[in-house]
Amino acid sequence: GNSVTQMEGPVTLSEEAFLTINCTYTATGYPSLFWYVQYPGEGLQLLLKATKADDKGSNKGFEATYRKETTSFHLEKGSVQVSDSAVYFCALSYQGAQKLVFGQGTRLTINP
Amino acid sequence: SAVISQKPSRDICQRGTSLTIQCQVDSQVTMMFWYRQQPGQSLTLIATANQGSEATYESGFVIDKFPISRPNLTFSTLTVSNMSPEDSSIYLCSVTGQGGYEQYFGPGTRLTVT
């Protein structure tokens, strides 16, 4: 079946630190991959996406590269800010966008 | 991306009652989806709301408990019926993006059942 596994949280960093949140997936076929972010008390926002192998998605200083050989889509940011504190979800879609499977989420807290 | 609104944003309900959640999109969309996010958990797809036909439910979710309507291409409702405290969750609707690969989410409805 299709599944997504994220590194367990919570993750706590200091401002301006380097961030990596690991995400690996299991899928049949060729899924699209996403990172969503959920700020406190809000819904999910699409942060970035990649639709084929070796694609790099990027937004707001965050990046993730679709690695088919390692079935991974790790989220990175070079210098985090307090405002990046949120829960981050890795997800994949199959059957076009009709089926979206989420990882368990990683809570990130950035301290000033 | 489409602008999605949900009503109510939150509610506190008594067990045994029902609540209907509305989802409105500012443009016509083919696919609409309903998700549940239990406290501290990830999202689980409840069903796909199809315009002009019955909703398609995922394993573990049934129409009697979560009836869904989709009267047109911009609107859908999800009813949580005969609620129990275990139904306390955030309920989110989503739509497919123009790229056809991603989904965009509404702000969610935070439901507490006492």
Side-chain angles (χ1 to χ4, degrees):
Chain A
N2 299 292
S3 66
V4 176
T5 302
Q6 290 180 233
M7 70 184 285
E8 297 214 3
V11 174
T12 302
L13 296 172
S14 297
E15 205 166 21
E16 299 184 2
F18 184 86
L19 169 70
T20 300
I21 301 178
N22 290 337
C23 171
T24 57
Y25 67 90
T26 302
T28 54
Y30 302 95
S32 296
L33 301 174
F34 309 91
W35 278 99
Y36 284 87
V37 58
Q38 186 174 36
Y39 297 103
E42 299 185 14
L44 264 70
Q45 297 179 23
L46 179 62
L47 181 60
L48 53 84
K49 66 181 180 183
T51 58
K52 61 183 187 295
D54 300 324
D55 268 3
K56 177 186 283 189
S58 61
N59 187 25
K60 298 181 180 180
F62 291 90
E63 293 184 341
T65 301
Y66 190 144
R67 301 287 189 197
K68 187 168 170 54
E69 63 277 12
T70 55
T71 62
S72 65
F73 193 55
H74 304 321
L75 182 69
E76 297 182 336
K77 186 174 185 181
S79 177
V80 293
Q81 305 300 312
V82 172
S83 57
D84 294 326
S85 298
V87 180
Y88 292 81
F89 292 93
C90 185
L92 66 82
S93 72
Y94 59 104
Q95 296 183 20
Q98 295 185 41
K99 297 287 186 181
L100 200 61
V101 175
F102 286 88
Q104 66 268 40
T106 302
R107 182 174 297 277
L108 174 66
T109 301
I110 308 300
N111 293 321
Chain B
S1 63
V3 176
I4 307 167
S5 60
Q6 287 186 232
K7 289 182 183 179
S9 59
R10 59 179 63 227
D11 208 341
I12 301 173
C13 300
Q14 299 287 327
R15 72 169 66 213
T17 63
S18 299
L19 177 71
T20 296
I21 301 167
Q22 299 179 5
C23 179
Q24 180 76 52
V25 188
D26 70 341
S27 58
Q28 294 186 342
V29 293
T30 304
M31 308 295 292
M32 293 182 77
F33 308 88
W34 286 98
Y35 288 83
R36 181 176 73 182
Q37 185 180 22
Q38 294 177 301
Q41 302 296 312
S42 188
L43 280 78
T44 303
L45 179 64
I46 297 171
T48 303
N50 305 306
Q51 197 269 331
S53 64
E54 280 196 1
T56 305
Y57 289 83
E58 297 299 303
S59 177
F61 297 96
V62 295
I63 188 170
D64 290 347
K65 176 66 175 177
F66 297 101
I68 287 171
S69 76
R70 180 85 195 273
N72 57 51
L73 293 175
T74 64
F75 185 79
S76 178
T77 66
L78 168 76
T79 299
V80 186
S81 303
N82 188 25
M83 288 184 284
S84 67
E86 291 70 35
D87 295 319
S88 297
S89 297
I90 299 173
Y91 292 86
L92 301 104
C93 68
S94 71
V95 303
T96 306
Q98 287 189 344
Y101 297 101
E102 69 277 13
Q103 292 181 18
Y104 294 97
F105 287 81
T109 295
R110 186 179 295 270
L111 171 62
T112 301
V113 183
T114 61

